Every structure is written in C-alpha cells, then in structure tokens.
C-alpha cells in the first residue's frame, strides 16, 4: 500500500499494503522478548455490540500461541530488532506482546511503554485538525489551496479535499534527489515547510487535480500551512489543544526538536548516505512536519485508532466525507481524507527512518490492532509493518487480511 511512512524516497500513507513512509530504516537481530474507482462511502463504524466469534476470535492462550509463532517467524525473516503487537476486541480479551530489543547497543528489551516516531500516522492528526475547521465553517473542503497558500502550481484548481485525499497531482518533495542528498548528508538539520515546498515545486505537476490517487507528502505540508493560516497559531499547538487533549492522548506529541520523551525505543534505518544501517533515533523530524513528525506510544495509538475510525472529534457529516474512499492499489482498498480502508481495516500506517507503526480499527468486530517497529528496513521490497499486519490478521480476521492477497509494487509513502 502507499500510505504508511515517509521514507526519504517514498511517501507517507498506507495505500495498498506496501506502506506510505516518511523516511529511512534499519535491520537488527531477531531476538524475541516476552509478552508484556468512484468515491465509495464506507459505513460509519459503530461503537456498540461486540461482534460474534465469526468476526473476531476469542484471544485464548491457543490463539496467542499461534500469534506468537507468526510474529517470531516474520522477525526471523525480516531481522527486525524489536516489535510490539497489540490486539483488543470487546468481549474477546486482548493480546499484547513485545519481541526483540529496543536498543541494539544495550540489548534492552522492547516494552509496552516506549515512545516511537509514528511517521505518516501524523497525517491523521493534521487532517483531523483541518476537518475540525470545516465543522467550524472556517474553511470548506472544496476551497482551492491558492486561497490560503500562494505560489502553488494549479493552486486555483487543487482543492483541500484533493490534498487530503492524495489526488492533487503535486510532486512529492521527499522523492526529490537534492532533498534526499541534503537530508542524508546531515540528518540533524532543520527544514522549514517552505523549503520542503520549494523542492516539490521545482518539478512539474504529475497530472490534473483529481485525476488519480498519488501519495504525496507535499499535500500535507500545504494542509499544515492552511491550519496555521486560518488559526494564526503554530500547527503543533493547534493539534495539541484541539486533537490530543480532547482525545485524551497524554503520551503523544508533535515535536519541535529532535528529542523523544522518555522512555523510547531506538530506531534503525538503512536510508543513510552510506547505505549502511544507522541509529536514527535522534534525527531531526522537521523535514516530515505535518506529514510525519509526531511521536506516540502503544496505548495512545490504541485509543486513537478507534477515535479516528469512529469520528469522535468530528460531526457525523464531516466524518462521512472523510470515509468516502477512492481506489489505491488493490481491490477492496481505498483512501479517504487522511485515512484508508484496507480490507475493512480503517486507519493509516506510518514510517519514518527507524520506525514504523500500524494502528487500525475493524468496525465489524470493534477490534483494534496496533503494531510498532523500531526499523523501516524493507524485506523483499515489503514494509515490515505490512508483513506483521498480514501475519496477525491472517490468524484473527482471515476474511479481512491486511493488506490484501498479493505483494505490492513499491509505495511512495
């Protein structure tokens, strides 16, 4: 899929199962730790009755043993340093396990309380903030971006809806060769939103607005600037006050420096100037900004996956607009407004050099799945978070296997 991370040479979304990323990633030992088309309107997820066992199994010791074996098998194949997997469904119990190490230098194990960078999952927060402004009637989804940001190619034709739905046609700045070289040469440097747009606008538009789906981090930089323009405040302050606080997310932050809150997992990536795996934990995420700079942890992502899918912070009408999807890469998959529906799982994936996350919600079962990794290094051209998601859902939701039933082409995310 495309939507997942923000790899340097890819974008940030989780389109059909490959992954939309924001940046680089790394391999490590596989030691395992112990448990601790046209737009389509998706049905609004219901927060009510628990699903029968046909929709989601009881998470018994026997099922947990199968999940343990499946996760360890993927770890052996991918050599991911550490992974955390969480599953929850009303009346079915829970499965929360950590495997491997959070720090390859000290061999400290992964634990369930660690902060990680969440890459393109950030897009869900940026777009939620934008949609709140729609609910307040301060902006309209079909307003042209040129109303708010000057100098955008096709700015009089590209709408906010098309930006949020990845149908603008604007070139993805994180695919620009000069940008990649500059970032890899000095991952500690800071980028302004305008500099990121400069990289994008040096390239011609890819297609007319609305013509097709194409995952581009440039779209989210523009939407972040719209939020700042309309509110008169920095994006990180608006998201903190209007989304994180009312959602009760106390361990999620939009950073303005390279620091992570304690405790945190170290991240490893091969998206480096040398091509060798490096510790990217303290790389400056300013280059990802509204598209992928945020940080969170397991329990906050569990809560957010449900809040996002059910639209708790938006009006029902605006949430319905958000959930209208257009096709991505695989039958049964679609992208809405900063959100995807992949084989019934609603949410977004995320990747940035050193980290990947997959927090999604299955409305039929009211089930939540969250997967956290401390690498973004691909295995046989697949995002590791996608492989873990596939292994887990093949066991618990065989009718809704994430992300689908065949390997994808490389994402841009």
């Amino acid at each position: 899929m495309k939507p997942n991370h923000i790899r340097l040479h890819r974008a940030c979304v989780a389109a059909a199962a490959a992954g939309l990323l924001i940046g680089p990633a790394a391999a490590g030992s596989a030691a395992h730790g112990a448990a601790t088309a046209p737009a389509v309107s998706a049905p609004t997820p219901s927060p009510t009755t628990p699903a029968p066992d046909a929709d989601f199994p009881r998470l018994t010791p026997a099922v947990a043993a199968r999940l343990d074996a499946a996760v360890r098998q993927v770890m052996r194949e991918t050599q991911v340093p550490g992974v955390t997997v969480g599953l929850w469904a009303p009346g079915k119990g829970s499965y929360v396990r950590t495997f491997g190490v959070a720090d390859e230098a000290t061999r400290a194990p992964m634990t369930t309380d660690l902060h990680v960078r969440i890459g393109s999952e950030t897009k869900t927060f940026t777009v939620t903030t934008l949609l709140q402004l729609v609910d307040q009637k301060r902006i309209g989804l079909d307003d042209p971006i040129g109303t708010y940001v000057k100098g955008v190619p096709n700015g009089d034709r590209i709408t906010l809806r098309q930006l949020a739905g990845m149908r603008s046609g604007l070139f993805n700045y994180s695919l620009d060769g000069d940008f990649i070289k500059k970032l890899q040469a000095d991952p500690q440097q800071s980028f302004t939103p305008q500099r990121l747009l400069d990289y994008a606008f040096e390239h011609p538009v890819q297609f007319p607005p609305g013509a097709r789906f194409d995952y581009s981090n440039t779209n989210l930089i523009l939407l972040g600037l719209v939020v700042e323009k309309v509110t008169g405040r920095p994006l990180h302050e608006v998201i903190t006050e209007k989304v994180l606080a009312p959602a009760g997310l106390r361990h999620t932050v939009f950073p303005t420096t390279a620091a992570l809150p304690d405790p945190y997992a170290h991240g490893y990536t091969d998206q480096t100037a040398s091509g060798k795996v490096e510790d990217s934990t303290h790389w400056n995420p300013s280059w990802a900004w509204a598209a992928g700079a945020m940080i969170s942890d397991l329990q906050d992502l569990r809560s957010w996956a449900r809040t996002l899918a059910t639209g708790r912070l938006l009006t029902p009408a605006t949430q319905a607009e958000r959930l209208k999807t257009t096709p991505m890469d695989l039958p049964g998959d679609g992208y809405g407004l900063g959100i995807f529906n992949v084989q019934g799982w609603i949410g977004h994936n995320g990747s940035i050099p050193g980290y990947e996350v997959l927090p999604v919600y299955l409305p039929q079962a009211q089930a939540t799945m969250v997967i956290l990794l401390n690498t973004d290094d691909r295995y046989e051209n697949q995002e590791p978070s996608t492989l873990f998601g596939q292994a887990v859902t093949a066991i618990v939701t065989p009718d809704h296997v994430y992300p689908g039933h065949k390997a994808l082409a490389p994402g841009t995310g």
Side-chain angles (χ1 to χ4, degrees):
M1 312 198 7
K2 284 197 170 74
N4 181 328
H5 347 280
I6 297 178
R7 270 184 97 76
L8 295 179
H9 49 281
R10 290 177 290 167
C12 251
V13 160
L20 305 186
L21 316 175
I22 281 208
S29 76
H32 50 269
T36 68
V40 176
S41 296
T44 301
S46 167
T48 54
T49 314
D53 285 352
D55 290 326
F56 200 88
R58 298 182 188 279
L59 295 170
T60 62
V63 172
R66 292 179 62 200
L67 290 167
D68 286 350
V71 172
R72 286 173 176 146
Q73 175 62 31
V74 175
M75 286 195 77
R76 283 192 292 270
E77 293 172 350
T78 61
Q79 294 293 292
V80 166
V83 59
T84 297
V85 179
L87 286 168
W88 303 265
K92 305 301 173 64
S94 62
Y95 171 91
V96 180
R97 295 283 196 274
T98 62
F99 304 80
V101 299
D103 185 337
E104 292 202 306
T106 67
R107 309 304 296 172
M110 287 288 281
T111 58
T112 58
D113 61 344
L114 298 176
H115 292 87
V116 297
R117 300 192 189 277
I118 63 173
S120 286
E121 182 70 14
T122 301
K123 292 177 171 67
T124 64
F125 293 95
T126 300
V127 175
T128 296
T129 306
L130 184 88
L131 294 177
Q132 288 177 329
L133 295 175
V134 172
D135 278 339
Q136 296 164 18
K137 303 190 184 310
R138 300 174 72 179
I139 61 173
L141 277 173
D142 296 312
D143 293 347
I145 183 60
T147 301
Y148 305 97
V149 182
K150 303 304 179 185
V152 181
N154 283 343
D156 59 336
R157 300 171 56 203
I158 297 171
T159 66
L160 304 186
R161 185 192 302 273
Q162 289 165 341
L163 291 167
M166 299 295 175
R167 302 181 70 85
S168 72
L170 295 173
F171 184 83
N172 181 3
Y173 71 86
S174 60
L175 297 178
D176 178 84
D178 289 341
F179 165 76
I180 293 172
K181 290 177 183 177
K182 187 173 181 63
L183 178 60
Q184 289 181 334
D186 179 13
Q188 304 299 331
Q189 68 185 293
S190 182
F191 290 84
T192 65
Q194 185 57 55
R195 185 67 188 103
L196 301 175
L197 294 180
D198 290 344
Y199 285 114
F201 298 164
E202 289 172 359
H203 298 263
V205 295
Q206 309 297 291
F207 51 83
R212 61 183 176 89
F213 175 89
D214 184 61
Y215 194 81
S216 175
N217 292 318
T218 304
N219 298 336
L220 269 291
I221 302 304
L222 288 167
L223 293 181
L225 291 174
V226 171
V227 171
E228 293 196 332
K229 174 79 170 181
V230 174
T231 64
R233 301 173 59 197
L235 178 63
H236 68 274
E237 290 184 4
V238 182
I239 287 179
T240 300
E241 178 183 337
K242 302 299 185 181
V243 180
L244 302 185
L249 305 181
R250 296 181 297 169
H251 303 286
T252 303
V253 297
F254 194 123
T256 57
T257 71
L260 288 91
D262 287 324
Y264 57 83
H266 282 251
Y268 302 91
T269 186
D270 63 358
Q271 292 198 77
T272 59
S274 68
K276 296 179 180 178
V277 172
E278 296 179 9
D279 186 327
S280 58
T281 306
H282 299 295
W283 285 14
N284 190 330
S286 64
W287 66 273
W289 196 51
M294 290 178 67
I295 297 165
S296 191
D297 71 357
L298 175 70
Q299 289 299 331
D300 268 16
L301 289 176
R302 171 194 177 185
S303 176
W304 177 243
R306 182 183 176 94
T307 294
L308 177 67
T310 58
R312 183 165 70 83
L313 300 184
L314 303 173
T315 64
T318 297
Q319 179 70 359
E321 291 297 307
R322 175 170 221 169
L323 293 178
K324 291 179 179 178
T325 63
T326 55
M328 292 189 293
D329 297 336
L330 293 177
D333 295 349
Y335 198 79
L337 303 180
I339 199 169
F340 64 61
N341 184 323
V342 175
Q343 308 301 334
W345 290 96
I346 295 175
H348 206 290
N349 56 356
S351 172
I352 193 165
Y355 301 92
E356 290 192 5
V357 299
L358 177 60
V360 287
Y361 183 79
L362 185 66
Q364 297 94 315
Q366 298 174 50
T368 303
M369 176 174 70
V370 179
I371 297 173
L372 313 178
L373 325 179
N374 60 347
T375 184
D376 66 324
D377 193 15
R378 287 189 170 198
Y379 173 75
E380 294 186 351
N381 210 31
Q382 293 269 347
E383 301 301 336
S385 59
T386 296
L387 297 175
F388 284 105
Q390 182 173 321
V392 169
T393 55
I395 293 171
V396 296
T397 55
D399 292 332
H400 301 277
V401 176
Y402 179 95
H405 307 290
K406 65 177 183 179
L408 302 170
T412 57

